[in-house]
Amino acid sequence: MCSTMGLSLIPRRLLFFLGTFGICSGFVQENCINYELQFERVYSIPGDVAMLNSTLVSPDVFNFTTVPYNITWYDSKTGHEINNQTGRILVQEMTLWFLQTTLDDNGEYVTILRTPSRCFMQTTKLIVDLPVDGECGSPRKVYQALTKGFTDKVSCPLEDQIKKLESYNITPSLKWYKGCEPIEDETDRYTYWDKTKLRIDQVHSEDNGLYTCTLTFTLGGVRGSMSETINAWVKAEYTLTPQVHEPANEIIKTEIGSNFTKRCLVFVPCVGIPIVDIMWLVEDDFIFSTDPTDRIYISETRVWSQDEPVKGFWFEKLLMFSELKEKDFNVSYTCRVYSNRAHHEGYFILQPADPDILLPIGLTLCGVTVIFVSSVIIFYIFKADIVLWFRRAFPVFHPNKDDTMESCQKVVADVEDHLHEGAQYPPEDPVLSRIVHYISKKKMPADLPPSVVSSKSDFPRHLIPHETICTECSGQTVLSEPQFITATARIMTVTDVTESMYFFHSNYLCCRLAAKDLLLLLFAMIQTPLHLCIFVVSCCLHVPL
């Protein structure tokens, strides 16, 4: 056993070392991995609550989710294990609470974490200071800057303590003070914000000073509190949160094999020179090369100032590809900006460009247009042959095929035989003489009905020939049934012109001559012995006209 007198003579570090190896009764002799003294110190004042927290329960130390463990706290001054003391000390696994600290609580406290096969050790230091006379709050200050002319905030450093209490289902209350005067929520320019922050609207020079946040709660049956004091000063020079304008979290399409450049464009509202760092990343890997011989490289940062509408600085850094490869696509490229305010970022993703369909569509439309125009021209020139071919190829579309087509085919055959025998068009003597003789026999009646001469409205509208036999043809040549010619014919008489006439004709001759070379003589006769001769330039379509 180590005597109390011996403890006072042996340096604390040496005592801890000896206690670790079993020289003092408080420590069991173990070969633990030592994580030494934590950098972060815990500060308190007499009467306040102090929270010491071990960081050994971490995946960086061991797999705490699958490996069982237990934690023991030791006082390095005595080497004894620390247990719960009503109203004074509360041990909650990795957390050691001093519910009412005293000056004697100054010192280092050891955490030993044991698993079935290993153990780990860590030391945490508690510093208890007396308050400064005539000053409210903690004697240890945290320094924070406020930006003049802008809305800014003071942050309470007790965020970890609040989270720990909330994990126990304890809801603490937070109160702010400036100097010794309490600050009420939403009064003047102050607002309690986001649990641990005090927002100050339009910061003035008089907002310099000490701000204290006090956390009050009940733990282990004891009503306690802890405080932190912030020394805030107002500065004329400021740097606000960087704004990433490009890239704008976008998808960019481009061609494989092409070169490509994308800029990172950042604006920092500030007075004075801002300190920012701009980095390009491919997925999670930083790009540092500025050598153009590399396939992927970045440029140096270009900087320029701006006074209106907002004072600040622009920063530009380029990401360049000398040649895009397939592996460069569907990958996230991020521009990240670091500053003392926060870090912000924007990204883009490359994708292969869509096929250019405008040219094929244009060529297709041009082709369709050419085909359409050509078809119209061809149909206009060869419409007779096209119609005849269609009727021969698709006779099912012509319900009068048995009468009309057969008779037409017979007539066409007769005409072709006649033409093969030497017939010609236009006719010459004696054929022409016979035609003239036939026409000359058509006599106008001596007395015309007055209604015919005097009134167009009473003029017969349907002129249907009654002749069935060609009187001038050789043999008993039967004329075809009357065929409808037109419903818009005009007849000129000695007194007037009558329009909208329906004409029919009978014939026995068809030909295949072009329209410009064919003159058909069509004869029509009505009920009264009125004979009219109509000259029509037309093309015979191998059916009776």
Side-chain angles (χ1 to χ4, degrees):
M1 294 290 295
C2 295
S3 65
T4 305
M5 182 63 70
L7 290 174
S8 63
L9 298 177
I10 301 174
R12 188 178 304 169
R13 289 281 185 180
L14 180 59
L15 172 64
F16 177 68
F17 176 81
L18 296 175
T20 303
F21 285 88
I23 296 175
C24 294
S25 61
F27 287 92
V28 179
Q29 183 173 350
E30 294 177 89
N31 185 21
C32 295
I33 299 175
N34 193 351
Y35 279 85
E36 302 295 340
L37 179 65
Q38 290 194 73
F39 178 78
E40 295 292 336
R41 273 49 169 175
V42 178
Y43 298 98
S44 185
I45 59 176
D48 266 11
V49 177
M51 183 188 81
L52 282 65
N53 198 58
S54 171
T55 61
L56 291 177
V57 183
S58 166
D60 295 332
V61 178
F62 74 107
N63 189 358
F64 64 91
T65 59
T66 59
V67 178
Y69 64 91
N70 64 74
I71 294 177
T72 307
W73 285 88
Y74 295 92
D75 186 346
S76 64
K77 289 183 292 186
T78 64
H80 293 161
E81 179 181 344
I82 300 175
N83 296 308
N84 290 340
Q85 298 178 25
T86 303
R88 269 277 300 148
I89 296 175
L90 180 65
V91 180
Q92 294 284 345
E93 290 191 343
M94 68 186 74
T95 306
L96 174 62
W97 292 92
F98 288 89
L99 302 179
Q100 290 183 338
T101 57
T102 65
L103 291 176
D104 291 337
D105 293 328
N106 260 316
E108 296 178 356
Y109 297 87
V110 180
T111 309
I112 295 182
L113 185 149
R114 299 177 178 90
T115 69
S117 60
R118 307 170 69 186
C119 75
F120 307 91
M121 185 169 59
Q122 185 183 54
T123 304
T124 307
K125 187 170 185 176
L126 172 64
I127 299 175
V128 182
D129 294 319
L130 290 172
V132 178
D133 291 337
E135 186 178 279
C136 296
S138 174
R140 304 274 180 169
K141 310 294 189 299
V142 177
Y143 292 89
Q144 295 181 17
L146 297 174
T147 304
K148 185 177 181 179
F150 290 86
T151 296
D152 212 335
K153 63 183 181 296
V154 179
S155 297
C156 180
L158 296 174
E159 186 172 0
D160 290 341
Q161 288 82 344
I162 293 175
K163 290 181 179 179
K164 181 63 70 173
L165 291 169
E166 289 178 343
S167 70
Y168 303 156
N169 294 321
I170 297 174
T171 303
S173 63
L174 184 69
K175 183 73 174 179
W176 282 96
Y177 299 84
K178 183 177 183 186
C180 296
E181 296 297 323
I183 300 174
E184 300 299 329
D185 187 16
E186 296 184 352
T187 58
D188 197 7
R189 292 176 290 111
Y190 301 108
T191 303
Y192 287 22
W193 177 50
D194 193 27
K195 293 185 180 180
T196 61
K197 296 178 177 62
L198 177 66
R199 190 180 72 189
I200 306 175
D201 296 332
Q202 298 298 312
V203 173
H204 299 164
S205 298
E206 56 267 25
D207 292 322
N208 275 311
L210 299 178
Y211 294 83
T212 300
C213 57
T214 299
L215 199 64
T216 305
F217 53 91
T218 299
L219 179 64
V222 176
R223 183 71 172 173
S225 65
M226 57 178 64
S227 300
E228 289 284 353
T229 300
I230 300 99
N231 188 354
W233 79 95
V234 177
K235 61 177 183 177
E237 290 191 355
Y238 63 86
T239 299
L240 301 184
T241 302
Q243 303 167 4
V244 180
H245 289 253
E246 294 182 31
N249 302 338
E250 57 196 314
I251 294 177
I252 301 176
K253 296 186 177 183
T254 187
E255 299 287 343
I256 296 177
S258 63
N259 55 31
F260 178 79
T261 299
K262 182 63 178 177
R263 70 175 178 174
C264 178
L265 183 63
V266 178
F267 179 70
V268 181
C270 62
V271 172
I273 304 298
I275 300 175
V276 296
D277 195 9
I278 300 175
M279 304 296 294
W280 273 105
L281 298 87
V282 180
E283 296 294 354
D284 295 325
D285 297 329
F286 289 94
I287 303 174
F288 296 105
S289 175
T290 58
D291 186 356
T293 60
D294 292 333
R295 192 176 65 86
I296 303 176
Y297 61 99
I298 58 176
S299 68
E300 298 293 340
T301 303
R302 188 167 71 95
V303 183
W304 66 96
S305 63
Q306 171 183 294
D307 293 326
E308 297 293 340
V310 178
K311 191 175 182 63
F313 279 83
W314 287 96
F315 296 81
E316 180 187 74
K317 178 170 283 192
L318 303 180
L319 173 64
M320 291 168 281
F321 297 77
S322 59
E323 180 185 2
L324 287 173
K325 296 185 178 181
E326 187 174 355
K327 64 181 180 181
D328 299 325
F329 291 89
N330 298 310
V331 174
S332 178
Y333 299 90
T334 303
C335 175
R336 185 174 297 166
V337 185
Y338 298 90
S339 73
N340 59 353
R341 284 280 180 174
H343 78 266
H344 287 262
E345 61 186 34
Y347 70 88
F348 71 92
I349 298 175
L350 287 177
Q351 288 187 355
D354 295 329
D356 186 6
I357 61 174
L358 293 179
L359 181 59
I361 290 177
L363 293 176
T364 301
L365 292 177
C366 291
V368 170
T369 303
V370 171
I371 293 173
F372 176 76
V373 173
S374 302
S375 300
V376 171
I377 295 174
I378 292 172
F379 181 78
Y380 180 78
I381 297 175
F382 302 103
K383 59 183 177 180
D385 292 325
I386 293 174
V387 171
L388 289 175
W389 170 84
F390 183 81
R391 291 191 176 188
R392 287 195 300 268
F394 305 100
V396 69
F397 294 109
H398 306 284
N400 60 341
K401 60 181 180 180
D402 294 337
D403 299 330
T404 305
M405 291 301 295
E406 290 180 2
S407 61
C408 183
Q409 290 172 357
K410 182 177 181 302
V411 173
V412 170
D414 293 341
V415 171
E416 288 178 346
D417 292 341
H418 183 63
L419 293 174
H420 291 161
E421 293 173 359
Q424 63 178 4
Y425 183 86
E428 297 178 355
D429 290 335
V431 178
L432 182 59
S433 176
R434 291 171 57 196
I435 294 174
V436 173
H437 177 65
Y438 178 75
I439 295 174
S440 65
K441 290 173 62 178
K442 300 293 182 178
K443 302 291 186 181
M444 295 292 288
D447 297 321
L448 292 175
S451 61
V452 174
V453 176
S454 61
S455 175
K456 292 189 294 182
S457 61
D458 297 333
F459 198 94
R461 298 291 174 177
H462 298 78
L463 302 181
I464 305 175
H466 284 180
E467 291 180 339
T468 60
I469 302 297
C470 179
T471 59
E472 294 300 318
C473 298
S474 60
Q476 294 293 318
T477 302
V478 180
L479 297 175
S480 68
E481 291 295 324
Q483 302 293 315
F484 176 75
I485 299 176
T486 180
T488 58
R490 293 180 179 180
I491 294 180
M492 181 180 291
T493 67
V494 294
T495 59
D496 53 22
V497 176
T498 302
E499 297 182 342
S500 301
M501 300 298 298
Y502 287 77
F503 276 96
F504 299 79
H505 85 100
S506 297
N507 75 333
Y508 73 96
L509 181 64
C510 287
C511 62
R512 293 179 180 173
L513 299 176
K516 64 180 181 178
D517 298 324
L518 179 61
L519 180 64
L520 297 183
L521 302 180
L522 306 178
F523 303 94
M525 183 176 72
I526 59 175
Q527 295 286 347
T528 58
L530 173 63
H531 298 267
L532 303 171
C533 180
I534 306 171
F535 295 89
V536 180
V537 177
S538 178
C539 178
C540 179
L541 302 180
H542 295 289
V543 294
L545 292 176

